[in-house]
C-alpha cells in the first residue's frame, strides 16, 4: 500500500506544481518589499543609536566653559572649542568621585562662586539598564573666576557617580548630547544624557535604591593666579534598580503578550537582571562567559505597539517582531557556575522541558543559527537562540528558544 | 549576489516545487502559496541569509515550521476539513474500496493532524528516515513513530493496509 500511497503523493505534488505554473506565480515584488521592511525594522534602532552618537560627538570639542550661561574668560591653558570631532561615540567613566568616597569629604566649589550644576532624570527607575536625564549649569553675573579642568570628563567635562547613604558605590557610562531648553524646565538645560549606572567593580548594580549625582571638576581662582581644584556637584537624584523577580520556569518565557528584557544601548555595559533573548555565538567554559547578541522579542499587542512606534507598516509574522537594538553586536556575559541549560520543545502535541546540562556541556554543544534540535537522541541543545535569565549580574539559567 | 537577487531567483526557479511541497501540507493551493511566501520572507529576513548554503532546503524547513505553527494549522486544513467525507463515522468504505488516486490521497491527508501529516510527507514523499524526521520536527524518534502509526491507522480505512516493510515502524511505536 505504501508504494501506491507514495505514488499518489507524487502525483498530488506534480499536479500542484502544474497548478502553480498555470497561475501568476509567487508575488516576488511583494516578498521583496515585505522582507525589506523586516530587515529595515531590525536596523532602524541601530540607525537611531548611531545618530545620537554623532550628535554627542558634535559637542565633544566644546569646552566646559561653553556650558556656562555666563562663561568666564578661559585661561590660556584651559580647554578651547576645537571643533574637531571623531567618529567614535563619546562616552566616559569619570571617577572624579572615586568609589568609597563620602560625598561630605569632597572639596566643592565655594558657594560664593554662585555656580550650580543641575540634573533631572526622566524616570526614577532604571529602564533597559539606563537612565535618561538632562543637566546644565547656571552661573550668576557676579561669578568669580573658575575654569574648566583640561581633559576632564565625557562631553563638556561632566561626570556621574552613584551613591548609597552618601558614599560612592558606582560609576556610570554615559553619553551626552547638546540639548535645547524646553518650556517648563526648572533650570537651563544644556545637555541631554543617557546614563548607564554600574557598580564600582563594573558589574550591574544590584536591585536597590540609589542616588545619582552629576559633577563637574573645575579650577577655582582663590587668589590672583592661584587655582584650586574643586568639584561642582549636583543635588542627588534618587533612582531605583528594579528587582527582576525569581527565575521563570523554562517554558514560561514565550508569552502571548509582552517583551523580553531590553539591554542597555551600550553593548559594553553589563546586563542588569532580566530575562534576555540572545543569539549565542560562543561559550567559554574556562572564562565562564557567553558571547551573545541580545535581541528583543515583542509579542502580541507589545509587537503591535513596537511596530507602530518604530517601523510602521511592518508586517507581524508569527505573532512576534524582533528588534536588534545594538545591531548584531556580541556582548560577553558572565555565567553562573551552576547554571542549568534547558530546552523547551513546542507544539500542541509535543511539549516538553528538559535540562540538557550545565556550562561544560553547553560549551561543547554545536551552535547553529536558526534551528533547534529537540529530540530524545540529543544530549545537548542545538540552536543559537536562547533565553538568558540574568540574576545578580550573571546568567542564572539558559533556555533554548525555537522561533518559527 | 544580493539577497533580493537570491530571493527572486529562488522564487522564479523553484517556486512551483516549493508551492507543491507546501500543498502536500496545506491541501489548498492558495494557502500553499501564502505559506511559501511567508517562509521566504521569514528566511530572507533572518540575520545571515547569505550564509545559508542550501536556500531551498532552508525554505522548506521554514515552510514546515510555519505550517506547524498553531495558528497556521488552524487556518489551513481546518478550513477545508468539512469538504472531506468522514468514512469512519459513515461506517467506513473498507480496504476493498482502496484507491490511491490523487483525490483519495488528498482526502486522506485531510484526516490527519498537522504533525501526522508532516511526518507522512517527510517519510513517504521526502523519503527521510525516522531519525531525520525527528530532527526536522524537533521531536523524539518515538514521537515520530507514534505519529506515523497513528496516521496509518487513520489512513487505513481509506487507503488500505500498509506493506509489511512498514510493520517494524508501527511496532516500534508500540514499544
Amino acid at each position: 500500500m505504501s508504494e501506491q500511497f507514495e505514488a499518489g503523493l507524487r502525483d498530488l505534488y506534480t499536479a500542484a506544481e502544474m497548478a502553480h505554473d498555470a497561475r501568476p506565480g509567487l508575488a516576488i515584488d511583494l516578498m521583496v518589499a515585505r522582507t525589506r521592511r523586516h530587515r529595515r525594522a531590525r536596523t532602524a534602532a541601530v540607525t537611531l543609536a548611531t545618530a545620537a552618537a554623532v550628535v554627542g560627538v558634535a559637542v565633544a570639542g566644546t569646552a566646559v566653559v561653553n556650558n556656562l550661561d555666563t562663561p568666564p574668560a578661559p585661561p590660556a591653558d584651559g580647554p578651547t572649542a576645537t571643533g574637531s570631532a571623531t567618529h567614535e561615540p563619546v562616552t566616559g567613566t569619570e571617577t572624579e568621585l572615586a568609589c568609597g568616597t563620602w560625598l561630605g569629604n569632597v572639596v566643592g566649589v565655594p558657594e560664593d562662586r554662585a555656580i550650580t550644576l543641575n540634573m533631572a532624570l526622566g524616570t526614577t527607575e532604571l529602564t533597559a539598564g539606563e537612565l535618561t536625564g538632562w543637566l546644565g549649569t547656571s552661573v550668576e553675573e557676579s561669578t568669580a573666576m573658575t575654569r574648566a579642568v583640561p581633559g576632564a570628563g565625557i562631553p563638556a567635562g561632566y561626570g556621574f557617580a552613584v551613591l548609597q547613604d552618601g558614599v560612592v558605590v558606582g560609576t556610570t557610562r554615559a553619553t551626552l548630547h547638546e540639548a535645547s531648553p524646553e518650556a517648563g524646565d526648572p533650570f537651563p538645560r544644556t545637555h541631554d544624557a543617557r546614563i548607564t549606572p554600574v557598580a564600582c567593580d563594573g558589574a550591574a548594580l544590584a536591585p536597590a535604591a540609589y542616588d545619582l549625582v552629576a559633577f563637574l571638576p573645575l579650577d577655582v581662582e582663590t587668589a590672583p593666579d592661584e587655582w584650586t581644584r574643586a568639584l561642582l556637584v549636583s543635588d542627588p537624584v534618587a533612582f531605583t534598580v528594579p528587582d527582576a523577580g525569581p527565575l521563570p520556569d523554562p517554558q514560561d518565557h514565550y508569552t502571548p503578550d509582552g517583551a523580553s528584557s531590553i539591554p542597555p544601548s551600550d553593548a559594553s555595559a553589563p546586563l542588569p537582571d532580566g530575562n534576555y533573548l540572545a543569539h549565542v555565538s560562543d561559550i567559554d567554559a574556562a572564562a565562564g562567559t557567553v558571547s551573545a547578541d541580545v535581541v528583543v522579542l515583542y509579542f502580541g499587542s507589545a509587537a503591535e505597539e513596537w511596530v507602530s512606534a518604530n517601523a510602521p507598516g511592518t508586517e507581524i509574522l508569527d505573532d512576534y517582531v524582533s528588534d536588534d537594538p545594538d545591531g548584531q553586536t556580541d556582548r560577553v556575559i558572565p555565567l553562573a557556575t551552576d547554571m542549568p541549560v534547558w530546552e523547551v520543545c513546542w507544539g500542541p502535541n509535543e511539549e516538553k522541558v528538559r535540562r540538557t546540562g550545565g556550562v561544560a556541556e553547553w560549551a561543547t554543544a554545536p551552535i547553529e543559527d536558526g534551528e533547534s534540535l529537540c529530540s530524545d537522541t540529543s544530549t545537548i541543545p542545538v540552536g543559537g537562540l536562547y533565553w538568558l535569565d540574568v540574576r545578580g549580574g550573571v546568567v542564572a539559567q539558559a533556555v533554548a528558544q525555537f522561533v518559527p | 549576489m544580493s539577497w533580493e537577487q537570491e530571493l527572486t531567483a529562488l522564487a522564479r526557479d523553484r517556486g512551483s516545487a516549493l508551492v507543491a511541497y507546501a500543498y502536500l501540507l496545506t491541501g489548498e493551493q492558495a494557502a500553499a502559496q501564502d505559506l511559501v511566501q511567508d517562509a521566504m520572507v521569514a528566511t530572507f529576513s533572518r540575520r545571515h541569509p547569505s550564509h545559508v548554503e542550501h536556500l531551498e532546503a532552508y525554505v522548506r524547513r521554514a515552510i514546515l515550521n510555519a505550517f506547524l505553527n498553531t495558528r497556521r494549522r488552524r487556518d489551513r486544513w481546518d478550513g477545508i476539513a468539512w469538504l472531506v467525507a468522514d468514512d469512519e463515522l459513515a461506517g467506513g468504505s473498507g480496504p476493498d474500496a482502496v484507491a490511491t488516486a490523487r483525490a483519495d490521497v488528498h482526502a486522506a491527508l485531510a484526516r490527519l493532524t498537522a504533525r501526522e501529516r508532516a511526518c507522512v510527507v517527510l517519510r513517504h514523499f521526502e523519503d527521510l528516515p525516522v531519525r531525520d524526521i525527528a530532527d526536522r520536527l524537533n521531536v523524539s524518534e518515538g514521537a515520530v513513530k507514534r505519529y506515523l502509526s497513528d496516521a496509518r491507522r487513520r489512513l487505513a480505512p481509506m487507503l488500505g493496509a500498509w506493506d509489511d516493510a512498514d510493520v517494524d515502524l508501527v511496532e516500534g511505536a508500540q514499544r
Side-chain angles (χ1 to χ4, degrees):
Chain A
M1 211 306 287
S2 65
E3 287 184 5
Q4 291 172 307
F5 178 71
E6 287 163 5
L9 273 178
R10 286 193 295 273
D11 188 30
L12 202 59
Y13 178 88
T14 303
E17 267 191 307
M18 293 172 64
H20 177 75
D21 287 340
R23 294 160 67 108
L26 295 171
I28 294 176
D29 290 344
L30 285 177
M31 283 194 292
V32 169
R34 285 172 61 193
T35 306
R36 191 169 286 138
R37 283 199 296 273
H38 279 263
R39 296 170 71 95
R40 192 179 298 141
R42 284 191 164 87
T43 58
V46 180
T47 306
L48 286 173
T50 304
V54 170
V55 173
V57 168
V59 300
T62 304
V64 168
V65 291
N66 287 347
N67 293 317
L68 309 181
D69 293 343
T70 310
D77 58 348
T80 54
T82 62
S84 63
T86 69
H87 294 287
E88 295 299 321
V90 179
T91 59
T93 55
E94 269 300 309
T95 54
E96 292 290 331
L97 277 174
C99 286
T101 302
W102 179 52
L103 197 59
N105 286 339
V106 171
V107 177
V109 174
E111 289 187 5
D112 62 1
R113 304 306 155 103
I115 304 175
T116 56
L117 171 56
N118 305 292
M119 177 180 65
L121 295 179
T123 60
T124 57
E125 185 173 278
L126 197 68
T127 304
E130 294 177 340
L131 298 167
T132 56
W134 49 282
L135 66 170
T137 48
S138 302
V139 182
E140 294 181 5
E141 292 292 338
S142 59
T143 298
M145 185 67 78
T146 60
R147 70 183 185 189
V149 175
I154 51 180
Y158 293 115
F160 299 91
V162 179
L163 310 176
Q164 269 187 325
D165 299 325
V167 176
V168 178
V169 296
T171 180
T172 69
R173 299 162 183 270
T175 302
L176 272 65
H177 59 269
E178 202 168 11
S180 300
E182 293 184 5
D185 284 354
F187 52 82
R189 171 195 299 225
T190 58
H191 289 83
D192 285 335
R194 183 184 292 272
I195 306 157
T196 303
V198 295
C200 285
D201 61 1
L205 284 174
Y210 299 92
D211 289 317
L212 182 74
V213 294
F215 61 86
L216 184 63
L218 293 174
D219 284 339
V220 179
E221 190 173 37
T222 52
D225 286 334
E226 284 188 17
W227 298 85
T228 300
R229 182 67 47 84
L231 216 54
L232 184 62
V233 183
S234 72
D235 287 337
V237 179
F239 73 96
T240 58
V241 177
D243 190 337
L247 283 176
D249 288 336
Q251 70 271 26
D252 287 346
H253 289 82
Y254 199 100
T255 58
D257 232 5
S260 57
S261 296
I262 301 172
S265 58
D266 181 352
S268 63
L271 290 179
D273 288 1
N275 305 324
Y276 299 90
L277 194 66
H279 292 276
V280 171
S281 58
D282 188 38
I283 300 140
D284 187 336
T289 59
V290 59
S291 297
D293 173 21
V294 178
V295 297
V296 184
L297 226 59
Y298 297 89
F299 311 107
S301 61
E304 293 170 1
E305 290 172 10
W306 186 89
V307 165
S308 175
N310 297 279
T314 297
E315 185 179 4
I316 300 174
L317 291 174
D318 296 319
D319 293 334
Y320 75 88
V321 292
S322 68
D323 177 33
D324 195 349
D326 53 15
Q328 297 181 21
T329 302
D330 273 358
R331 298 165 190 257
V332 179
I333 311 164
L335 303 170
T337 53
D338 57 349
M339 181 200 73
V341 181
W342 300 91
E343 187 172 26
V344 180
C345 300
W346 295 96
N349 302 321
E350 183 76 18
E351 182 170 327
K352 63 184 177 185
V353 179
R354 63 197 183 96
R355 179 172 175 163
T356 59
V359 174
E361 292 81 5
W362 201 29
T364 56
I367 298 297
E368 296 176 357
D369 187 25
E371 296 288 340
S372 72
L373 177 66
C374 197
S375 73
D376 289 343
T377 57
S378 67
T379 55
I380 45 178
V382 178
L385 197 57
Y386 285 85
W387 290 96
L388 302 179
D389 297 336
V390 175
R391 296 294 184 276
V394 298
V395 179
Q397 73 174 358
V399 182
Q401 171 67 61
F402 169 72
V403 174
Chain B
M1 185 182 287
S2 69
W3 68 263
E4 289 97 336
Q5 291 171 318
E6 287 179 334
L7 185 152
T8 301
L10 186 64
R12 188 183 55 234
D13 299 341
R14 300 297 299 161
S16 296
L18 290 169
V19 170
Y21 179 73
Y23 179 82
L24 295 182
L25 298 168
T26 65
E28 204 272 321
Q29 196 79 21
Q33 185 160 319
D34 287 347
L35 193 61
V36 170
Q37 291 177 166
D38 286 353
M40 290 188 69
V41 169
T43 299
F44 284 89
S45 297
R46 299 288 187 228
R47 304 189 329 146
H48 307 297
S50 60
H51 293 178
V52 179
E53 292 181 359
H54 306 291
L55 274 174
E56 182 179 352
Y58 197 86
V59 171
R60 285 189 183 226
R61 282 189 171 225
I63 288 170
L64 204 58
N65 292 335
F67 167 69
L68 291 173
N69 175 275
T70 303
R71 273 185 57 184
R72 293 183 189 285
R73 189 182 64 256
R74 190 166 55 241
D75 290 345
R76 301 296 193 273
W77 270 105
D78 287 359
I80 62 169
W82 63 277
L83 295 172
V84 181
D86 191 332
D87 293 278
E88 283 183 350
L89 291 178
S93 50
D96 292 342
V98 169
T100 55
R102 182 190 313 159
D104 293 317
V105 172
H106 182 269
L109 287 173
R111 305 283 301 274
L112 306 180
T113 67
R115 286 197 175 255
E116 288 169 355
R117 198 176 312 121
C119 286
V120 165
V121 169
L122 292 173
R123 179 74 182 93
H124 295 286
F125 180 75
E126 294 212 52
D127 201 26
L128 291 181
V130 169
R131 175 174 297 179
D132 290 354
I133 297 172
D135 289 349
R136 188 76 66 88
L137 297 182
N138 300 324
V139 299
S140 66
E141 289 185 43
V144 171
K145 291 176 180 176
R146 190 180 71 242
Y147 289 135
L148 286 172
S149 176
D150 291 347
R152 290 167 182 178
R153 193 160 47 246
R154 287 175 194 266
L155 295 175
M158 300 184 73
L159 301 175
W162 294 85
D163 298 341
D164 291 340
D166 291 310
V167 169
D168 61 327
L169 197 61
V170 178
E171 287 177 344
Q174 295 169 337
R175 278 196 292 268

